[in-house]
Amino acid sequence: METTSTPTHCPYCALQCGMNLSPTPEGGVEVTERVDFPVNRGALCGKGRTAPAVLSSRVRLTSPLVRSGGTLVPATWDEALDRIAGELGAIRAGHGPDALGVFGGGGLTNEKAYTLGKFARVVLGTSQIDYNGRFCMSSAAAGGIKAFGLDRGLPFPLEDIPKTGCVILVGSNLAETMPPALRFFSELRENGGTLIVVDPRRTRTAEQADLHLMPRPGTDLALALGLLHLVVAEGRVDEEYVRERTSGWEEARAAAMAHWPEHVERITGVSVPQLREAVRMFCEPEAAMVLTARGPEQQSKGTDTVGAWINLCLATGRAGRPLSGYGCLTGQGNGQGGREHGQKADQLPGYRKLDDPAARRHVAEVWGVDPGSLPGPGRSAYELLDALGTDIRSLLLMASNPVVSAPRAAHIEERLKSLDFLAVCDVVLSETAALADVVLPVTQWAEETGTMTSLEGRVLLRQRAITPPAGVRSDLEVLHELAARLGVEKGFPTDPEEVFEELRRASAGGPADYSGITYRRLVEENGVFWPCPAPTPEGTGAVGGAGAVGEAAAGAGAAVDDGGGADGEDTGFDVFPEDPVRDEAGPARPGGVLPGTVHPGTPRLFLDRFATDDGRARFVPVSHRPAAEEPDEEYPVFLTTGRVVAQYQSGAQTRRVDELNAAAPGPFVELHPRLAARLGAAEGDPLAVVSRRGRAVAPARITTGIRPDTVFMPFHWPGEGRANTLTNPALDPTSRMPEFKVCAVRVEIAGA
């Protein structure tokens, strides 16, 4: 039996933990420790450790399914593909290209996300494409672009966190959502640094904090403004930094001064002494960070909330300096790369804007099409789903399960049912796939090679370790076959490395420049941080490269063979050796790279200048406003939602793993003893949680670790306990992020 292992990465969250896959005597595969990857150093959570369970034919799809007489029945690949192409072609002919919708996912590899966006715009000619990553970190992206001119989840590696002086962690329960990352914060405290956690629940993460602030849901914006007010009032503004590296301070300062501490205490429920202590802890060390996650971002004012936390960093000189800055903890496995390369409604590859004429010309040249043939920006994710069955008559969906994951989910389920035609590509028969007219079984992480971009902006190579079962094809093969059936014979290769070579050219010169990255480098260097321009005679790379916005790790990759030019010639690199253990790069150097050398990538952004026209970070003046839906007499309680450690996202895959189901078998309603007493509820009693959009029922879980005015539900399950039946689709005006994290509900004992 072959005993070699394959180095690869976990299929779940944006940590993309390193792991080895090794064959078992029974013919399966098991996860073994991979200590050379610096993010997890071999550690894995239960989801990563049990990931091979979903590879089993017992739980996954192995044959195309076609609806016949109201039932999904097995079909051949030709029958299924012909049906999809025929339906899409007929609907386009009858109703125009924008009657065709495309919905992607933040778990798709960069190659698949890139190809899906190209397929929508070149083959279908539709503007109606978006992806579930819109529900992940779009508000953080919008806030980062406004302030810094560039969005990358973390502008520094995770390894910087233990070396800073203080971290404010806002709305993240990473002890459950990405457990291997918790060690960075434990090491921070061991090194004498402090951790402040902002969360309306006393989560496993909050239990690790030196200071836990428990604001009312939907008041994170006021909290950040109150802290900035105190920074000004206590004379803690870094005046020299503000003068030399920022613009817009006076307007932002004036907005913050309207949020005095006592006023903020009334809004948030966080006491003035706690506010003052948070400011002291954040400002006294030489370096500090603010990290946000879905808590403050999944709000109808998420972009402004992120902006307020960024303003706090800028006013105190905590951005674009070593061991300091604002960052976002991306959720989905490829939430970062998934939006950079074209499946988002308003973007082209390389994080280019779809309405930018120069960007359209560049990408159209790579694709060999007329720039004028590319459609303009389309609807955002929720707006696209809401339009199903009306303007949009068909949907091609990959790697998403909106029946469980979308806000106002019962409404979205009805919109999916109203379509003329629905085709789904998935690994398992998800709740959304069960509604489809055609379901295509596709390969998953261990059965295919492709790149992912982690929350650090580190591009990684996930390598194929096993052969997929007969009857399963890759998403790239699906798009190739559909393109050919719809009249486009060329431009949709099935080999992921060939797709990546084209992606390099398409991204060249864009904000997310991958043109200097190759599969060979990804293996030899354990990943490469973008931006990483291709070598140029000038040595500074393309516009927006490291010389413009940050620093590159000295010596890391300067002598590496590029393994293939930016024009996509064959690299000759077919066999992937096991990743070597690399020494950490030496001290970073600012600026670009020497002429003719390979760019080393950019682990740390903004140390020289920000990615704005003048190189300055921009303060954005913001003011607190209520959530779109506040509690009232009819719906007197806040609902907030989130994840648990043993399940992932909509649960489509993790709910098929026995060990994970044993740990987290179903939904629950977490509530405070005071609220439970008022209801007359005991532990385990069935509770009905009712919002203006619907009703969900789940057992009570009573704890003092939540605010008395708030209940919490995890969102991994369908059916009666579906939390997203309740959530509010009110959208942030900039990011179009729905307000998952706060809505008004009433709670009652079910059946009473």
Side-chain angles (χ1 to χ4, degrees), residues 211-282:
L211 176 64
H212 177 203
L213 308 180
M214 297 181 71
R216 292 187 182 94
T219 64
D220 307 90
L221 175 53
L223 177 63
L225 287 164
L227 297 179
L228 182 53
H229 178 109
L230 285 170
V231 165
V232 176
E234 296 177 3
R236 297 181 184 271
V237 175
D238 187 332
E239 301 285 358
E240 181 180 1
Y241 173 93
V242 168
R243 183 172 58 255
E244 294 183 355
R245 298 205 60 189
T246 72
S247 62
W249 167 234
E250 290 304 319
E251 294 84 355
R253 178 185 182 279
M257 296 314 288
H259 298 77
W260 61 94
E262 293 76 13
H263 179 50
V264 169
E265 179 181 78
R266 287 194 293 272
I267 294 171
T268 65
V270 177
S271 70
V272 172
Q274 283 186 309
L275 295 174
R276 293 189 184 280
E277 177 64 5
V279 168
R280 184 195 66 78
M281 291 169 62
F282 184 69

Side-chain angles (χ1 to χ4, degrees), residues 81-442:
L81 291 167
D82 288 346
R83 172 82 178 274
I84 296 173
E87 294 280 2
L88 297 182
I91 291 169
R92 181 174 60 182
H95 302 280
D98 275 356
L100 308 179
V102 178
F103 200 83
L108 294 175
T109 63
N110 289 315
E111 292 81 356
K112 292 191 286 188
Y114 171 85
T115 304
L116 185 63
K118 181 180 179 182
F119 177 85
R121 295 177 174 109
V122 172
V123 178
L124 301 181
T126 182
S127 66
Q128 301 303 304
I129 175 173
D130 210 65
Y131 81 127
N132 64 15
R134 178 78 68 169
F135 301 157
C136 179
M137 57 176 289
S138 56
S139 292
I145 290 171
K146 282 186 176 185
F148 307 131
L150 185 71
D151 154 46
R152 195 181 84 183
L154 292 181
F156 41 73
L158 285 163
E159 66 188 34
D160 284 1
I161 290 172
K163 305 169 189 174
T164 193
C166 177
V167 173
I168 302 180
L169 184 63
V170 189
S172 170
N173 183 17
L174 56 80
E176 297 201 54
T177 59
M178 45 181 65
L182 187 62
R183 69 172 178 82
F184 292 104
F185 298 87
S186 299
E187 291 173 7
L188 164 73
R189 299 182 70 209
E190 290 167 5
N191 292 339
T194 55
L195 174 62
I196 302 170
V197 170
V198 179
D199 199 303
R201 303 168 61 222
R202 188 160 182 81
T203 63
R204 295 183 187 180
T205 306
E207 289 172 355
Q208 308 300 313
D210 298 283
L211 176 64
H212 177 203
L213 308 180
M214 297 181 71
R216 292 187 182 94
T219 64
D220 307 90
L221 175 53
L223 177 63
L225 287 164
L227 297 179
L228 182 53
H229 178 109
L230 285 170
V231 165
V232 176
E234 296 177 3
R236 297 181 184 271
V237 175
D238 187 332
E239 301 285 358
E240 181 180 1
Y241 173 93
V242 168
R243 183 172 58 255
E244 294 183 355
R245 298 205 60 189
T246 72
S247 62
W249 167 234
E250 290 304 319
E251 294 84 355
R253 178 185 182 279
M257 296 314 288
H259 298 77
W260 61 94
E262 293 76 13
H263 179 50
V264 169
E265 179 181 78
R266 287 194 293 272
I267 294 171
T268 65
V270 177
S271 70
V272 172
Q274 283 186 309
L275 295 174
R276 293 189 184 280
E277 177 64 5
V279 168
R280 184 195 66 78
M281 291 169 62
F282 184 69
C283 292
E284 284 188 354
E286 184 177 346
M289 301 173 179
V290 172
L291 304 177
T292 66
R294 305 302 79 75
E297 298 163 16
Q298 287 181 328
Q299 298 184 28
S300 59
K301 53 182 181 293
T303 301
D304 284 357
T305 303
V306 167
W309 288 106
I310 291 175
N311 287 349
L312 178 66
C313 290
L314 295 177
T316 54
R318 307 305 175 90
R321 282 179 167 172
L323 307 180
S324 288
Y326 164 78
C328 164
L329 298 176
T330 309
Q332 293 193 78
N334 201 30
Q336 181 72 50
R339 72 178 175 281
E340 292 170 4
H341 298 301
Q343 65 173 334
K344 190 165 174 278
D346 58 351
Q347 285 176 194
L348 288 169
Y351 222 139
R352 287 181 161 89
K353 299 297 291 182
L354 188 55
D355 56 5
D356 177 359
R360 293 169 66 88
R361 285 194 301 272
H362 174 87
V363 174
E365 183 177 359
V366 174
W367 288 351
V369 299
D370 180 352
S373 70
L374 298 178
R379 293 176 172 91
S380 71
Y382 181 79
E383 293 165 305
L384 189 157
L385 294 171
D386 188 43
L388 299 180
T390 56
D391 296 341
I392 301 175
R393 311 296 291 266
S394 71
L395 185 69
L396 173 63
L397 182 145
M398 288 183 169
S400 188
N401 188 18
V403 166
V404 178
S405 63
R408 198 186 173 196
H411 169 72
I412 296 305
E413 183 174 356
E414 291 305 311
R415 302 289 0 117
L416 286 159
K417 291 177 180 177
S418 73
L419 284 165
D420 294 350
F421 181 73
L422 171 63
V424 173
C425 300
D426 210 330
V427 171
V428 298
L429 190 65
S430 70
E431 288 72 23
T432 303
L435 303 178
D437 298 288
V438 178
V439 182
L440 299 180
V442 291

